Amino acid sequence: MFAKKKSWLIAGPVAVAALATAVWLAWLGWWSGVFAVFGIVGICFGIAMAWGRSPGRASQTTEFVRQPGPAPPPAPASSESLVDVMLRTGRYGLLLRPQIKANLTSSQLREAEDQLKRNMAKIGGGVVALGRFGHVSQGALLEDGRPANGVEFCEVDEYYIDCTSVTNEQFAAFVHDGGYSDDTLWDPEIWQAVPDFMDRSGHLGPRNWENGHPPRGEEQFPVVGINWYEAAAYARWAGKRLPTNAEWEKAGSCPVEVGAGTVKQRRYPWGEGMDRTRANIWGSGQGKAVAVHEYSKGGCAGGIMQLIGNVWEWVADEFHGGPEQPGLILPNPMRSIRGGAFDTYFDNQATCQFQSGESPMSRKHNIGFRCVLAAADLVAHEDDNDDYHANAAEDEVLA
Amino acid sequence: MTRSSSVDLDSYRLAQYALQVPCYICEQPNMFDAELCRHCFAPMALAQQAKNLKTEPNLIATIGASGVGKTVYLGVLMDMLTRQSDMLQVLARGAFSINLQQTTTAALQRGEFPDKTPNEPDRWNWVHCQIRSKRHTRPVELVMPDMAGEALLEEVDHPRTFQVVRSFLLKCSGAMVLIDGAKLYGGTVEQDYFTMKLLSYLIELVEDPKHNWSKRPVAIVFSKADQCDEAFDDPNEYARRHATGLWRFCEERFKNHKFFAACVAGACGFRDTAYEGRQTIPLRIEPRGLVEPFCWLIDQMR
């Protein structure tokens, strides 16, 4: 508003002066007066336009059109700044796709690769025995293809997994980028319900936020109060996806093939026993979620933090009960959540193997998520040699 | 030929039998070695322990309809306060006081809810404990039974059916009234009515206007609130919206009451069993809002 007012302050007096000059010239001659009026009005218009377009005025004009609610990121002026905005908001997963790579400059590509290395851990492909720990052997298969000993082995391709849960700050970038309004990010079956995914003050966003912003001081806390669809939409926006049960479990339990058809898996990322100084569960005494970089002692090979405790994590798969819940009947369809949370009471419910379920529409105070990227979806990184399996095997030998 | 033999002198035992010990709950006389009161079936250990204490124990009732979650609430609350709490610390008195938390947590850890509390008072679990808190210098002695919901209903409908319920509620310093928050959210009004009946019974129980229940602290707890998260945001507003009758009743009749929300399981499923049909099972245990009503009651009692 201020920008508009100031331009009139300049143009007004100039126009009055022009009118006075025109009247004076009219005394001298009719035609010369008309020319003088047109000329001076033209000069005034030019000055006013030049004032409005000056670079220093741009932010004030933006302020004038700003809508109430969370501030959107500044619109990129060219394809180069669009990439910069994507890099700043952590959407390197999209930029590293082979289809987009060609449009990046070498520095942008380097920055995207650096972000990938900093924020995600590479997990090698291999097998994982779902819901089991210790030495697990693959049994014979029955006629219908099910394993005779009930142990389900899953083959997982190489992938990257977020080192930490998605934080409030990261999710805010999605919210402010209009993620809730972009239909392409959401499953069609949920389109009608998306406008209801509001925070305490009625703005679109996680349930515990206010006025489109996370609680003050909790920017680095895991985002919670989001349902499964919101987590999936964020993952799509970031160019990633939610992990499968097998991917999540493989990242934490570090399966090592110790013989033909036999793997050794850990119960916790750090070993076989619960250590409450390494994970934020009820027994740790915090009583609330903490920032994603705390409890670093509980991290596993590759720098993956807080797989156990702090907040449950949505995974992509539907929940049908783990091996410890035979014959489970669910009141409604559920999605799996993994890892336990700050209020998980029993140690045996915060392990790499335990899984629980929650309605995909629930927006609970203790459920967050992290994302994965299939290595096959990315450009080849020849210099990337932080092989997860090598680390896991090395840890195993040291143990 | 004569042989000498020793015969125990049991006169002291006869003397003990002659002196009757009053039950701590119903105050009726019992034998000194009775395990349970022969009138109300409360454990006589309570009377023995109370006799040796300098301060008289306070009684707190946990009441509510059958299946509302009283056993799970009390069992987990006691376990939480025993294991760790910044606000309060609980020290059990007597082995019988640990039974409730032991059976409850063992069942929950197995992925089941504990068995329904039987109607017979001689099979109820009682807790006698000492409560210590940083805010208060003097510890509080507390007695809490895990009463069966059906016995409560029977006593409310037909007063004096369960002497132990009546005697206990007469002596209580405060109560935690549990209501199934999930059922209220689903529109079932049965919970609302039953709780109003229970509270009406309390109001009518004590005739003395100076000591009747309208002045005693009552914490009304919406249990199973994991299925209705909004109860945690504002329990009073939740009561006004979903249990209007109860909310009005409390506003009118109880001068010292407060609404709370609590849950023990994060989510639930079902399992079919051969003998007991379809059973509800917890998918994970993450207690929330259990300690707050209890702390509030303790503060009010002081």
Side-chain angles (χ1 to χ4, degrees), chain A residues 270-340:
Chain A
W270 55 83
E272 301 307 318
M274 170 51 84
D275 178 349
R276 287 169 191 163
T277 63
R278 293 175 188 259
N280 182 18
I281 60 168
W282 187 87
S284 313
Q286 293 276 358
K288 58 178 184 171
V290 295
V292 295
H293 292 102
E294 291 191 35
Y295 288 91
S296 54
K297 276 170 70 186
C300 47
I304 308 167
M305 312 266 282
Q306 293 180 355
L307 269 178
I308 300 299
N310 211 26
V311 293
W312 290 96
E313 292 176 11
W314 289 112
V315 295
D317 296 330
E318 286 184 9
F319 175 67
H320 301 292
E324 68 282 356
Q325 295 154 327
L328 178 69
I329 301 161
L330 296 173
N332 50 285
M334 289 186 177
R335 295 281 174 172
S336 279
I337 52 173
R338 308 293 301 241

Side-chain angles (χ1 to χ4, degrees), chain A residues 335-353:
Chain A
R335 295 281 174 172
S336 279
I337 52 173
R338 308 293 301 241
F342 63 88
D343 52 0
T344 297
Y345 197 65
F346 295 122
D347 294 352
N348 67 350
Q349 296 188 350
T351 66
C352 293
Q353 287 72 37

